[in-house]
Amino acid sequence: MAKNDLTTRNLMLDSLKQYAKNRLSHEFIREHDAKNEIPLDILKEMYDRDTLGVHLLLIPEEYNGLGGQTTEIYRVCEQLARIDLGIATGVFATFLGSDPINVGGTPEQKAKWFKKIADENKLVAYGATEADAGSDLVSLRTRAERVEKDGKIVGYKITGSKMWISNGGVADIYTVLALAPGGPSWFIVEKGTPGFTQDAHEDKHGIRLSNTAGLAFDEVYVPAENLIGLEEGKGFLQAQAVFGYTRLMVAAFGLGAGEEAVETALVYAQQRIQAGGPLAEKQGFMLKLITPHYVRFEAARAYIDWTAKQLEINNHGLATEGAIAKLYATESGNKAAEDAIQAMGGFGYTKEFAVEKIKRDVKITCIYEGTSEVLEMTIFRGRWQEHLKSRGQYYIKQAEEFEAIHAQNPNVGADSVALGFRALARVLEDCRAQKLTRHQYITFMLGDLISEAEVAAVFTRQCAEGKVTEGSRFDLATLSTMARVNARLSAFKIATDGMKLILGVGAASAQDLAASVNLIGIEEKMTGLITDEDAVSAKLRDTFKA
């Protein structure tokens, strides 16, 4: 695959859309959802090289794959989520399950297993989660005991259990995290290995077209060459190395599912006549249930794309950025799907329209690959260290950058971004001085405010630079209007929610705090907000006509 080739990406996405149109009708998806049944033949067909070969994206070209970069993979994840989030999860499980091999495998291991996955269309599963070790992998209890012969390690016997494993009951290859004598380590286990069994498929609230099952290991023997990297104790590092990447893919799920829900509701609203005109022409309907979500989608798209480009440079890492992308996009997608049901009234609550199912499906994106609360804590910890190291100047310096951007381009909301950064710096410093981070709830909420500020900054900067994010259907003028709306609302949220946290523990006077976060200055930037939102609504109606 040509790297960063937009034409190739668009052809791939078009093929995926056409396949879904031909093979994945709404009735087909509804039927399998009702049965809580994975369409395994469809998943296998999507893996077939002559059909789509969707799994080949994750496999380097030297191992018979397409060698897709992060941008290709997130764009495909977004499109898969628009089709069905359960099927998307089945594909993602192979991506995720292959990551330990990609990150930690020896050249020989990569050649063996990637070629097997590519050429034999193998489904893969990622076996990390346990009853007491979900996001907290330190609590790992699955053990891998060495098997020695003539003083040499020849294999391992794995004993323990895993739960909530996507593709758990249908995968051919499993990467399994277990505690070896040298520390947590990843092992490759093949289906059918003696002592290895899969539990029944879980009866889930959503993503019912994906298989989720527990795994059980009773002294399951694997040869020593199935220890990924051939060195014990690297498991946590190998898992952490890809958090930025894997969470970015789930962020794309939240974006794609949310978009599909809101666009379904908007098309319906253009046909639904109420009080003498289409619902979509009603300002209250649009500004409450539709327009704010698409503003956040475009902000999320800009941030996801920016993070993807950084990962293509740095390959691994960016755990904080990946957490920000996932928190912002999945929470936005989840709320948007809820409002899409409201927008369609009784129709939205029935299974006749897709929004009811999307709402059930998209909730999982706020849970798997790190719950929103785990992500809030991850974001807080990452940026709290930056605040401390810089003696409170981390966000002040970024505020100065956006003040300069505003001087050059006053039409993208950079002034509001700067105010938001200054308010955030003040809130963080007050939390430090008053030792408020001993309250866990405050650290969660600070993580959320940090994500608001940083997503708004990326969206605004891209508009200031004249960039239209790949995948967006809007022109630069419309995106700039969206960026202004988003920046204003983000700054207001940072100031008011930040004040709420500090005042909530009695750590300041309301008057002094309002002055320190410049609440009046932020409020003044609200001038023209409704006018801008109405302009965005008009563009949405033109773009998504019935």
Side-chain angles (χ1 to χ4, degrees):
M1 171 180 292
K3 306 302 180 187
N4 294 312
D5 184 338
L6 179 59
T7 301
T8 303
R9 279 197 290 276
N10 286 336
L11 286 172
M12 183 189 314
L13 293 170
D14 288 343
S15 296
L16 189 52
K17 292 174 189 176
Q18 189 60 47
Y19 177 83
K21 182 178 179 180
N22 294 338
R23 298 284 283 134
L24 299 170
S25 67
H26 180 56
E27 291 72 22
F28 177 92
I29 290 172
R30 278 179 58 184
E31 178 184 344
H32 283 76
D33 178 73
K35 293 179 180 178
N36 190 36
E37 179 180 80
I38 179 174
L40 192 56
D41 56 335
I42 288 290
L43 206 57
K44 288 283 191 179
E45 189 173 272
M46 291 174 70
Y47 279 36
D48 189 274
R49 189 183 297 270
D50 295 329
T51 304
L52 288 174
V54 67
H55 70 308
L56 300 175
L57 278 173
L58 66 98
I59 299 172
E61 291 175 285
E62 59 263 40
Y63 307 124
N64 303 338
L66 294 176
Q69 290 193 301
T70 311
T71 300
E72 278 87 33
I73 295 173
Y74 98 70
R75 293 291 316 277
V76 166
C77 284
E78 178 189 352
Q79 184 58 42
L80 283 168
R82 295 187 67 127
I83 297 166
D84 181 80
L85 198 45
I87 291 173
T89 297
V91 174
F92 175 68
T94 290
F95 290 4
L96 182 60
S98 302
D99 277 331
I101 302 171
N102 187 40
V103 172
T106 65
E108 293 76 16
Q109 287 174 330
K110 291 180 181 180
K112 175 181 178 179
W113 295 105
F114 278 145
K115 286 181 179 179
K116 184 181 286 286
I117 295 166
D119 297 341
E120 300 176 27
N121 304 332
K122 297 293 188 182
L123 274 65
V124 188
Y126 182 86
T129 304
E130 299 180 5
D132 297 317
S135 297
D136 180 19
L137 295 180
V138 175
S139 302
L140 190 68
R141 292 189 177 181
T142 298
R143 296 288 192 268
E145 298 178 357
R146 294 171 179 166
V147 176
E148 299 186 17
K149 185 176 181 180
D150 298 329
K152 180 182 178 182
I153 301 171
V154 296
Y156 294 85
K157 287 185 177 180
I158 301 173
T159 301
S161 62
K162 302 291 180 179
M163 66 186 303
W164 313 127
I165 306 303
S166 296
N167 284 356
V170 298
D172 305 294
I173 297 168
Y174 299 75
T175 49
V176 178
L177 186 63
L179 191 60
S185 309
W186 287 99
F187 296 88
I188 299 170
V189 181
E190 293 189 83
K191 188 174 185 176
T193 303
F196 175 36
T197 56
Q198 299 81 41
D199 295 341
H201 172 46
E202 299 286 353
D203 190 2
K204 305 187 296 295
H205 173 67
I207 58 167
R208 292 164 65 83
L209 273 71
S210 71
N211 175 272
T212 306
L215 309 176
F217 304 86
D218 183 9
E219 294 192 341
V220 174
Y221 177 80
V222 295
E225 58 263 29
N226 282 25
L227 166 63
I228 294 178
L230 303 182
E231 184 178 356
E232 296 176 7
K234 300 293 186 180
F236 285 167
L237 292 176
Q238 290 164 353
Q240 291 169 350
V242 296
F243 274 156
Y245 164 82
T246 57
R247 287 171 175 168
L248 194 71
M249 301 309 121
V250 180
F253 283 172
L255 173 62
E259 286 177 308
E260 187 67 20
V262 171
E263 289 169 23
T264 299
L266 183 52
V267 170
Y268 163 85
Q270 301 219 50
Q271 301 172 13
R272 173 72 164 143
I273 304 301
Q274 193 80 358
L279 264 180
E281 297 290 342
K282 312 298 183 185
Q283 185 195 52
F285 174 86
M286 292 296 291
L287 297 196
K288 181 178 181 183
L289 300 175
I290 301 294
T291 305
H293 297 304
Y294 232 101
V295 169
R296 290 183 72 84
F297 292 157
E298 289 303 319
R301 187 190 318 281
Y303 194 86
I304 290 169
D305 191 74
W306 174 81
T307 305
K309 299 301 190 292
Q310 303 308 305
L311 282 167
E312 288 170 0
I313 296 170
N314 299 323
N315 195 20
H316 298 300
L318 299 182
T320 302
E321 289 77 6
I324 289 172
K326 181 182 181 299
L327 176 67
Y328 191 96
T330 59
E331 289 290 337
S332 296
N334 186 52
K335 181 62 168 67
E338 171 121 355
D339 280 356
I341 293 177
Q342 186 74 16
M344 297 179 67
F347 288 109
Y349 200 63
T350 69
K351 296 183 185 299
E352 180 181 352
F353 289 88
V355 294
E356 174 274 337
K357 180 178 178 298
I358 293 171
K359 178 62 182 75
R360 286 189 286 110
D361 287 350
V362 75
K363 183 60 184 177
I364 193 62
T365 66
C366 302
I367 298 172
Y368 63 13
E369 270 307 283
T371 66
S372 291
E373 293 70 32
V374 166
L375 300 179
E376 287 168 344
M377 183 62 74
T378 298
I379 295 163
F380 162 74
R381 287 172 176 165
R383 295 303 187 242
W384 184 245
Q385 293 303 313
E386 298 293 346
H387 179 79
L388 296 179
K389 286 190 298 184
S390 67
R391 297 182 179 273
Q393 295 300 301
Y394 183 73
Y395 285 119
I396 296 296
K397 290 180 179 178
Q398 294 187 56
E400 292 170 351
E401 174 189 344
F402 278 85
E403 287 161 355
I405 291 174
H406 178 68
Q408 295 294 318
N409 189 335
N411 297 315
V412 294
D415 50 349
S416 292
V417 172
L419 288 169
F421 274 142
R422 289 191 180 277
L424 180 58
R426 183 70 261 167
V427 169
L428 290 172
E429 186 56 20
D430 281 1
C431 288
R432 183 201 64 78
Q434 302 293 333
K435 297 182 172 58
L436 302 187
T437 55
R438 67 182 184 276
H439 299 282
Q440 187 186 50
Y441 174 72
I442 286 181
T443 63
F444 284 168
M445 294 303 99
L446 288 176
D448 183 52
L449 297 184
I450 289 165
S451 74
E452 284 285 336
E454 297 203 14
V455 172
V458 167
F459 187 24
T460 293
R461 184 187 294 111
Q462 288 201 5
C463 290
E465 293 173 351
K467 296 178 181 177
V468 173
T469 310
E470 183 176 322
S472 177
R473 281 170 280 188
F474 304 103
D475 56 28
L476 181 60
T478 301
L479 291 172
S480 296
T481 304
M482 289 180 171
R484 287 198 303 272
V485 170
N486 185 68
R488 290 181 181 118
L489 296 176
S490 294
F492 187 77
K493 176 181 172 69
I494 291 163
T496 55
D497 283 10
M499 288 178 61
K500 179 178 69 176
L501 295 177
I502 296 169
L503 294 172
V505 291
S509 75
Q511 186 174 359
D512 290 345
L513 189 55
S516 69
V517 301
N518 195 6
L519 182 59
I520 291 177
I522 289 172
E523 288 173 336
E524 288 174 345
K525 296 298 180 185
M526 291 294 174
T527 302
L529 175 66
I530 301 299
T531 300
D532 277 349
E533 289 183 321
D534 283 341
V536 173
S537 296
K539 190 66 175 181
L540 289 173
R541 285 190 291 267
D542 289 342
T543 303
F544 303 108
K545 290 180 180 178

